[in-house]
Amino acid sequence: MPELTPMMRQYVRIKEEHPDAILFFRLGDFYEMFRTDAQEASRILGLTLTSRQGVPMCGVPHHSATRYIARLIEEGRRVAICEQVSLPDGKGLADRQVVEVITPGTVTREDYLPDSNNFIVSIARDSSGSYLAFLDVSTGEMGLSNLSRESGWASLRRELARLEPREALVQHSLLADDELARILDSANPVRTEYQDWEYDLAAARTALTTTLGVSNLKSFGIDEQSHLPLPAGVLLTYVRETTRAPLRHILALTVSHQETNVGLDENTIRNLELVANMHDGSTRYTLLETLRDTRTTMGARMLRRWILSPLSDRSSIVSRQEEVARLKGDQALLTAVRRELSGILDLERLTARLSQGRAHAKDLVAIRSTISASERIRAEFDGIKTSGLSFLQEYAGERSQRLSELADLLDSALVDEPATVLSEGRVIRSGFDPDLDRLRTLHEGSRQVLEEYVESERERTGITTLRVRQNRVLGHFLELGKSAASRVPSDFVRRQSLA
């Protein structure tokens, strides 16, 4: 075997850190894949497999990598993005680092996401019981479930049928249980094993409180003796390590209670064709398609959750029915609200990308228009009796004022059609920031700035023959004739004289 080149040694070192991912290794304008990664990617993506010094390789242009990554994610693969983070001063290798690991359960980009929730789960057990934590990184929705021991793994089967996770983190010792292994095989999420000692209750509780920004979990109905947080620590650590981004958008925690919801198992969901038909697995002719007349993507996700986890508590059912009846009884109001709802974009996923530092200016414009639409919806309810519409309480008082101020700030700061790439400019309005306006003037009207400067120097010095010149050695400089040498001011610096 020939000796590895410095670049291939760098590749091998980084690949060893991410053995379970297909490594997209940046070389100039391409992402290259080598060895088994290249063989696997070429088969899935239909790429031509070549070789260099006997090493299999294939590549994709960096500007069109998104669609290739999306296909790999759909196939259940992980993708590690390795970028050139700095270039060498002279000869030598560029410094490369993995900046993001994209996995089926942690993606946040719209190109890789389904319209429904995209959950990742973590499953753990200790002497007190079995527990499940779930998280949709793209929306920030997080929850915990107590898996009843009396029902064996039936409660886990129901939770997986409800959540349809694309990825699962599993305690190693649990995989020795044949029934659990069969359940996971049936649900078919991408699976990652963790050692038992990594599921530490104290660490999990700390991870949850830190992420949620609270001192304890009592406000979420979890006391200090509860083992319910057990699987959450591994889940949050895994998501942080893969996304390489903060999780500031996770603001709440739900605890699934079997007594308030009907637990539907996978056979019931499939045979009743609630969200997918038995013919081709699409939503055609399902209960979801029959009921789905939502105006927003967030509403569609909520409807799907309601169908897969129907209420069993009578008071909760009656409360929901009263809210629906209240709106249905006022058709003029309902029509106006539905019209404005069409302007509500996917705020959950927009704010998730924003909190992780992955939003671009068009996302900010979308947030601005969504806030404005929500303000118009709230205005439709002004002056009428709103009892029975509990959701309106979220937009009352100080919160509404802060949202309005944010919309005003975004409106005054952003151009109507901003660029998605920051380096292109076309993001901030003229007049918003004086320093930026000054820099723009220097960039866009540099010739005029130079002419105005030279004219001011002519007036100050009285040398009418003063001119500005440029060359590669000196850059821009002032030029004057020998006859004006006696009038040169003391603050001028002589750089060169001509014979």
Side-chain angles (χ1 to χ4, degrees), residues 337-376:
V337 169
R338 284 176 64 80
R339 181 182 64 248
E340 296 298 344
L341 278 172
S342 298
I344 299 289
L345 302 177
D346 200 336
L347 195 59
E348 290 176 334
R349 286 179 171 171
L350 287 168
T351 53
R353 290 200 296 273
L354 181 64
S355 71
Q356 293 184 311
R358 293 186 174 133
H360 49 65
K362 286 187 181 295
D363 288 334
L364 296 178
V365 171
I367 291 173
R368 178 184 67 190
S369 64
T370 296
I371 294 174
S372 298
S374 70
E375 288 295 303
R376 292 193 296 271

Side-chain angles (χ1 to χ4, degrees), residues 226-290:
S226 174
H227 287 226
L228 196 57
L230 180 64
V234 163
L235 176 59
L236 291 171
T237 299
Y238 176 82
V239 171
R240 283 196 179 94
E241 289 177 350
T242 53
T243 62
R244 312 290 174 96
L247 301 176
R248 292 187 293 263
H249 62 299
I250 302 176
L251 303 174
L253 182 69
T254 60
V255 178
S256 299
H257 296 289
Q258 303 287 338
E259 63 273 13
T260 59
N261 295 86
V262 179
L264 303 178
D265 59 37
E266 58 183 332
N267 291 327
T268 301
I269 293 172
R270 182 179 64 253
N271 293 334
L272 292 179
E273 296 185 309
L274 297 181
V275 295
N277 67 52
M278 297 176 67
H279 173 62
D280 60 6
S282 71
T283 59
R284 296 180 64 197
Y285 312 120
T286 63
L287 179 62
L288 175 62
E289 184 187 56
T290 302

Side-chain angles (χ1 to χ4, degrees), residues 251-482:
L251 303 174
L253 182 69
T254 60
V255 178
S256 299
H257 296 289
Q258 303 287 338
E259 63 273 13
T260 59
N261 295 86
V262 179
L264 303 178
D265 59 37
E266 58 183 332
N267 291 327
T268 301
I269 293 172
R270 182 179 64 253
N271 293 334
L272 292 179
E273 296 185 309
L274 297 181
V275 295
N277 67 52
M278 297 176 67
H279 173 62
D280 60 6
S282 71
T283 59
R284 296 180 64 197
Y285 312 120
T286 63
L287 179 62
L288 175 62
E289 184 187 56
T290 302
L291 297 178
R292 186 171 57 197
D293 194 20
T294 57
R295 285 289 189 265
T296 70
T297 307
M298 294 182 289
R301 284 199 296 269
M302 178 180 287
L303 177 62
R304 185 186 180 92
R305 290 196 298 269
W306 285 3
I307 290 174
L308 293 177
S309 184
L311 295 172
S312 62
D313 177 67
R314 185 178 186 278
S315 62
S316 299
I317 294 172
V318 170
S319 176
R320 183 180 292 176
Q321 288 175 338
E322 287 176 348
E323 294 203 0
V324 172
R326 173 69 182 83
L327 280 174
K328 187 175 182 296
D330 190 336
Q331 285 296 306
L333 176 62
L334 181 59
T335 300
V337 169
R338 284 176 64 80
R339 181 182 64 248
E340 296 298 344
L341 278 172
S342 298
I344 299 289
L345 302 177
D346 200 336
L347 195 59
E348 290 176 334
R349 286 179 171 171
L350 287 168
T351 53
R353 290 200 296 273
L354 181 64
S355 71
Q356 293 184 311
R358 293 186 174 133
H360 49 65
K362 286 187 181 295
D363 288 334
L364 296 178
V365 171
I367 291 173
R368 178 184 67 190
S369 64
T370 296
I371 294 174
S372 298
S374 70
E375 288 295 303
R376 292 193 296 271
I377 291 172
R378 189 178 62 83
E380 293 290 344
F381 291 93
D382 286 348
I384 68 171
K385 184 179 180 182
T386 59
S387 59
L389 296 173
S390 59
F391 65 87
L392 287 175
Q393 297 172 4
E394 297 184 14
Y395 300 100
E398 182 182 353
R399 176 173 293 188
S400 175
Q401 179 63 29
R402 290 169 63 189
L403 284 173
S404 180
E405 291 172 356
L406 176 58
D408 290 342
L409 174 62
L410 293 174
D411 187 55
S412 62
L414 300 174
V415 299
D416 294 331
E417 294 291 336
T420 56
V421 180
L422 197 61
S423 58
E424 292 181 4
R426 293 190 299 109
V427 174
I428 305 298
R429 289 186 189 275
S430 297
F432 179 75
D433 184 275
D435 289 335
L436 179 59
D437 289 343
R438 180 179 61 81
L439 293 174
R440 273 191 182 139
T441 300
L442 289 173
H443 175 70
E444 297 169 0
S446 57
R447 173 54 58 185
Q448 181 181 350
V449 170
L450 281 174
E451 289 175 354
E452 291 175 353
Y453 168 71
V454 172
E455 184 60 35
S456 67
E457 287 300 302
R458 286 171 183 161
E459 293 180 1
R460 181 172 74 92
T461 62
I463 304 174
T464 58
T465 58
L466 202 64
R467 292 180 297 178
V468 66
R469 289 286 188 264
Q470 179 194 18
N471 62 39
R472 293 182 180 180
V473 177
L474 299 178
H476 286 89
F477 57 92
L478 294 173
E479 182 184 82
L480 49 84
K482 185 176 181 180

Side-chain angles (χ1 to χ4, degrees), residues 44-173:
I44 296 172
L45 303 175
L47 300 174
T48 300
L49 188 65
T50 61
S51 66
R52 178 185 294 174
Q53 296 181 338
V55 177
M57 62 178 293
C58 65
V60 299
H62 79 94
H63 58 80
S64 60
T66 298
R67 62 189 178 95
Y68 294 104
I69 295 172
R71 286 168 61 185
L72 291 171
I73 296 299
E74 287 174 6
E75 292 291 324
R77 303 304 196 273
R78 300 178 176 91
V79 179
I81 308 298
C82 181
E83 295 286 2
Q84 297 173 175
V85 295
S86 66
L87 295 175
D89 294 334
K91 293 183 179 180
L93 280 177
D95 184 23
R96 292 179 175 87
Q97 294 178 11
V98 170
V99 297
E100 181 183 7
V101 179
I102 304 173
T103 75
T106 62
V107 296
T108 56
R109 302 180 191 178
E110 289 293 333
D111 307 283
Y112 312 145
L113 286 167
D115 291 335
S116 57
N117 280 106
N118 190 66
F119 285 113
I120 177 174
V121 300
S122 175
I123 308 167
R125 179 169 62 189
D126 64 7
S127 58
S128 67
S130 303
Y131 309 96
L132 178 139
F134 58 89
L135 171 64
D136 183 344
V137 183
S138 71
T139 65
E141 180 182 347
M142 186 175 187
L144 303 172
S145 295
N146 191 338
L147 304 176
S148 172
R149 279 188 164 183
E150 288 71 19
S151 59
W153 291 114
S155 55
L156 173 63
R157 190 186 298 272
R158 288 194 296 269
E159 285 293 87
L160 295 184
R162 176 177 71 89
L163 298 169
E164 298 180 304
R166 297 181 71 188
E167 199 167 353
L169 315 177
V170 188
Q171 190 175 340
H172 174 73
S173 60

Side-chain angles (χ1 to χ4, degrees), residues 189-205:
V190 177
R191 192 185 311 172
T192 302
E193 297 180 28
Y194 275 82
Q195 296 300 317
D196 288 31
W197 61 265
E198 295 180 271
Y199 283 89
D200 180 77
L201 181 59
R205 191 180 294 275

